[in-house]
Amino acid sequence: MSCYRIALNFEDGVTRFIECKDGEKVLDAAFRNKINLPMDCSDGVCGTCKCRAESGSYDLGDDFIDDALTSDEAESGLVLTCQMKPTSDCVVAVPTTSAACKTGQQSFSATVARVSPHNDAAIVLELDIDTAPAFLPGQYANIDVPGSGQNRSYSFSTAPGEARIGFLIKKIHGGLMSNWLERAEVGTTLQLTGPLGSFYLREVQRPLLFLAGGTGLAPFLSMLEVLARENSQQNIHLIYGVTRDLDLVLVDEIEAYAKRLANFTFVTVVAEEASSHPRKGWVTQHMPADVLNDGDVDVYLCGPPPMVDAVRRHFDENHVTPNSFHYEKFTPNAIAKVAA
C-alpha cells in the first residue's frame, strides 16, 4: 500500500510529519498519529477542519457542502482535512498552534562531524544523525549550546533526508555559540529541536527570486539542492549580498548549482565602499526588472532585519507586487520567522 508524507505546518512554526495511507483522509491520519487537528463534524459539513494545501496533489471528492468549502476556496488551495485524500506528498498549513492540536516540537540528538571556519565571517557546522530528520527546505532547528542551558536557531543548509545535516553560522565575537564552536570536538553530542518555521520552499510553479543576506544564504542552499535533485527547469535567480568581501562564503557551492540547474543564475553584492567587488551596494540596486517577471514571480528573502525592511520598502516604492513574497528576519542571537 502506498503511503504519502504529509507535513503539517502549524501557525506557531512547528512542523510535524505524518504518513498518510493511500485512500486515507488527512484528518484520520493525523488522529492515528495522536495529532488532534481542528474538527467538529468530520463529515464535510461544518468547515472546522479547513486548512490550506500549499503543495502536493489530493482528492477532495464531492461529499461536502458549499457552506463548509466553496468552489472558489477549493480552487485557491483550501481543503477540508476530513475529506482530503492525498495522492502525493503534501504540505498542509494548519491555522492554529501545535499545542492546540495536542502536539509540539520534536527533539533529536546529533554528533559533531565537522566544524569549518570561513574567514572571520562564518562557521559551517556539520552533524551526523542516526535517522535523517524530516523538514522542509528553508526551515530551521534550535541547537542547544552545551553547558549553557540556552539554544540558538539556525537554518538547515542541507537537503531533507540526509544523515549528515549542515548549518551556516555567523561568527560573532563573544557569541555564545561562536565561542563554543571554537573548542567543539568531533563526536560531541548535541541536542536539537525542530523542524521549525514557516519560511520554506513552496511548490514551484513560476520563476523564483532568492535574496540572501550574509548567513541567510543557508536556507537557499537547502532549497537549491532540492531543486537540483528534482531537475527543475524553472528560472531561478539568487542575489547574495554581504557587508564585506570576507563575508562572501560558500560561493563555490553556489557555482556548482549553476552547473546542475539549467536556468539558475546568481550574482554577489558587497555593501562596503572600500570593496573592490564589481557589484557594490545593496541587493535592491542589483535587481534587474526581468527577474521580477512583471510580478509573476515567487520571492524568497532571508537576511538581517534592515535588509528585509529595505527590500519590502523597495517593492512598495516601485509598485512591485510578486505573486508571493516569503521572508525571514534574523538577528545574531535568534531567528524570527515571518512569512507573507
Side-chain angles (χ1 to χ4, degrees):
M1 177 180 291
S2 299
C3 279
Y4 304 109
R5 175 168 285 185
I6 311 301
L8 301 174
N9 193 265
F10 299 92
E11 66 177 12
D12 55 356
V14 173
T15 298
R16 290 297 306 272
F17 287 82
I18 61 172
E19 297 292 330
C20 192
K21 299 174 184 176
D22 190 26
E24 185 178 25
K25 297 172 182 177
V26 170
L27 183 67
D28 295 336
F31 284 172
R32 183 165 49 79
N33 285 271
K34 300 181 179 180
I35 299 174
N36 295 337
L37 291 182
M39 61 84 67
D40 190 0
C41 71
S42 75
D43 293 319
V45 175
C46 68
T48 303
C49 67
K50 192 180 296 182
C51 295
R52 179 172 296 280
E54 297 196 319
S55 69
S57 59
Y58 49 87
D59 179 13
L60 282 178
D62 55 10
D63 192 20
F64 58 91
I65 66 173
D66 197 63
D67 285 346
L69 185 72
T70 68
S71 57
D72 287 344
E73 288 177 325
E75 288 178 6
S76 73
L78 291 176
V79 297
L80 300 177
T81 58
C82 75
Q83 302 298 313
M84 178 186 179
K85 297 178 181 179
T87 55
S88 75
D89 293 347
C90 295
V91 178
V92 177
V94 184
T96 189
T97 65
S98 58
C101 296
K102 297 185 179 179
T103 186
Q105 300 177 350
Q106 300 180 94
S107 297
F108 57 96
S109 60
T111 57
V112 176
R114 186 169 75 97
V115 179
S116 178
H118 287 259
N119 305 317
D120 65 346
I123 302 167
V124 170
L125 172 64
E126 294 183 357
L127 305 175
D128 286 336
I129 184 169
D130 292 336
T131 303
F135 60 90
L136 301 171
Q139 288 191 303
Y140 71 100
N142 289 332
I143 305 178
D144 291 351
V145 183
S148 72
Q150 300 183 52
N151 61 52
R152 293 293 182 261
S153 304
Y154 302 107
S155 299
F156 293 96
S157 61
T158 46
E162 295 293 323
R164 177 167 290 189
I165 55 178
F167 302 90
L168 179 62
I169 297 173
K170 181 177 177 63
K171 191 171 184 179
I172 301 171
H173 180 70
L176 183 67
M177 179 63 83
S178 296
N179 284 349
W180 183 81
L181 287 172
E182 288 181 358
R183 60 182 187 278
E185 297 181 356
V186 171
T188 301
T189 299
L190 295 178
Q191 297 298 317
L192 295 84
T193 303
L196 297 160
S198 55
F199 182 78
Y200 52 84
L201 183 66
R202 272 66 175 178
E203 187 170 8
V204 179
Q205 298 179 323
R206 58 189 57 81
L208 300 172
L209 174 60
F210 291 163
L211 305 174
T215 52
L217 176 67
F220 296 113
L221 294 176
S222 179
M223 294 180 188
L224 287 169
E225 180 60 29
V226 168
L227 291 166
R229 293 180 184 182
E230 294 175 349
N231 193 29
S232 175
Q233 299 300 302
Q234 193 56 263
N235 289 331
I236 308 163
H237 186 66
L238 166 69
I239 306 177
Y240 175 25
V242 299
T243 303
R244 313 167 303 157
D245 291 334
L246 289 177
D247 296 329
L248 284 174
V249 301
L250 303 185
V251 176
D252 55 337
E253 292 195 18
I254 305 173
E255 291 173 340
Y257 287 117
K259 297 176 182 178
R260 296 173 60 192
L261 285 160
N263 297 304
F264 170 61
T265 56
F266 78 96
V267 296
T268 54
V269 180
V270 177
E272 192 173 62
E273 279 296 324
S275 169
S276 59
H277 195 276
R279 286 170 299 278
K280 291 193 292 187
W282 313 106
V283 295
T284 52
Q285 298 171 298
H286 299 274
M287 194 184 302
D290 62 317
V291 302
L292 294 171
N293 201 36
D294 293 325
D296 188 26
V297 61
D298 291 328
V299 179
Y300 291 81
L301 162 63
C302 183
M307 176 185 176
V308 173
D309 293 341
V311 172
R312 294 177 63 191
R313 187 166 55 251
H314 175 80
F315 283 172
D316 288 342
E317 292 174 351
N318 290 275
H319 308 291
V320 175
T321 306
N323 177 78
S324 69
F325 182 23
H326 309 279
Y327 58 89
E328 171 181 286
K329 295 181 180 181
F330 66 81
T331 61
N333 291 328
I335 298 180
K337 305 290 180 176
V338 185

